Amino acid sequence: MRGVTFSPGFEGRARGIQDRLPPGQYPTESFPVLSAGPTPQVDTDTWSFTVSDETGRSRSWSWDEMRALPQEEPTVDIHCVTRWSKFDTTWQGVPVDVFLDAFLEDAGTAAEFVVAESYDGYTTDLPLEDVTGGKAWLAHTFDGFALSADHGGPARLVIPHLYFWKSAKWVKALRLTLDDEPGFWETAGYHGYGDPWREQRYWSD
Ligand SMILES: Nc1nc2c(c(=O)[nH]1)N[C@H]1C(S)=C(S)[C@@H](COP(=O)(O)O)O[C@H]1N2
Ligand SMILES: [Mo]
């Protein structure tokens, strides 16, 4: 997996910065905030995260239940479609696999896509396989501190192998769907998949 290291990265750091910069991107030290609307205030006392499927079956986790799940600390490069890339961002959170494994158990699913839904009404769609296999996290901690509200706290998705608009801030649900349902930016002309290495910025790319 490109740019993903799980400890202060021998492999990641040894590779040249240019090799880690997708086409048309520039590296930045800062962490810009990009939100389509106002920042919602989400209280961890009432926070929940729900996974549902095409049959309407669902399962939810409270904040404390989520914190009790297995945690990882990925260090990853992130790439925004507005052309900034930020190397070696360090998060703590629960692999999305943990939620999906618990939800699907032996039942499985015919769904091939997911829609991430957020507390601010934002949505984004992805193939199911892009949030499985260790590629996506529900993150609550950035750089050792509780994730700030403007960056999606109390918890957001982090899906570093796709442009960062796929990493829904203030996420509250993952809905498994049979068909692809374009989300907020995808409906507005952004690419359906959004691979930074293939520069899939807009629907025409
Ligand atoms: N809920 C929600 N998630 C969102 C957005 C948003 O407006 N609402 N913006 C997206 C976009 S376009 C980007 S580039 C990243 C920005 O994350 P940041 O503000 O932490 O840099 O969040 C993504 N996730
Ligand atoms: Mo973005």
Side-chain angles (χ1 to χ4, degrees):
M1 207 178 320
R2 205 184 281 262
V4 177
T5 54
F6 288 90
S7 56
F10 179 82
E11 217 185 312
R13 279 171 221 275
R15 279 169 53 215
I17 287 297
Q18 282 307 323
D19 293 343
R20 295 165 58 184
L21 193 63
Q25 297 292 112
Y26 66 86
T28 182
E29 294 282 334
S30 71
F31 194 174
V33 170
L34 284 115
S35 304
T39 294
Q41 298 304 315
V42 183
D43 192 339
T44 54
D45 289 344
T46 52
W47 181 92
S48 68
F49 181 66
T50 299
V51 178
S52 64
D53 71 7
E54 71 283 3
T55 70
R57 191 170 69 87
S58 70
R59 177 162 175 182
S60 297
W61 288 263
S62 69
W63 186 261
D64 290 343
E65 289 167 342
M66 179 275 287
R67 293 301 310 248
L69 294 172
Q71 308 280 321
E72 285 184 358
E73 285 190 32
T75 296
V76 295
D77 300 343
I78 55 178
H79 312 290
C80 177
V81 74
T82 62
R83 298 186 182 275
W84 57 266
S85 290
K86 187 170 171 60
F87 295 131
D88 293 321
T89 63
T90 304
W91 307 82
Q92 189 191 333
V94 178
V96 171
D97 294 290
V98 170
F99 297 103
L100 290 175
D101 288 350
F103 174 70
L104 294 172
E105 288 183 339
D106 298 330
T109 181
E112 290 180 17
F113 297 90
V114 297
V115 179
E117 300 177 333
S118 295
Y119 280 97
D120 63 338
Y122 186 86
T123 56
T124 187
D125 58 300
L126 311 107
L128 178 57
E129 66 177 18
D130 284 86
V131 297
T132 56
K135 295 191 282 292
W137 294 267
L138 180 93
H140 49 73
T141 298
F142 172 74
D143 219 5
F145 293 93
L147 181 61
S148 66
D150 52 355
H151 285 299
R156 73 177 299 164
L157 292 180
V158 174
I159 309 171
H161 71 290
L162 299 175
Y163 281 125
F164 211 37
W165 89 77
K166 297 287 183 181
S167 293
K169 306 199 279 190
W170 316 294
V171 68
K172 69 171 182 188
L174 266 191
R175 188 161 54 82
L176 278 60
T177 60
L178 296 176
D179 301 312
D180 197 9
E181 296 181 22
F184 181 84
W185 284 119
E186 293 84 6
T187 310
Y190 282 72
H191 198 276
Y193 185 62
D195 179 354
W197 295 96
R198 288 185 280 166
E199 225 178 335
Q200 295 172 334
R201 299 177 192 274
Y202 310 108
W203 67 267
S204 52
D205 288 337

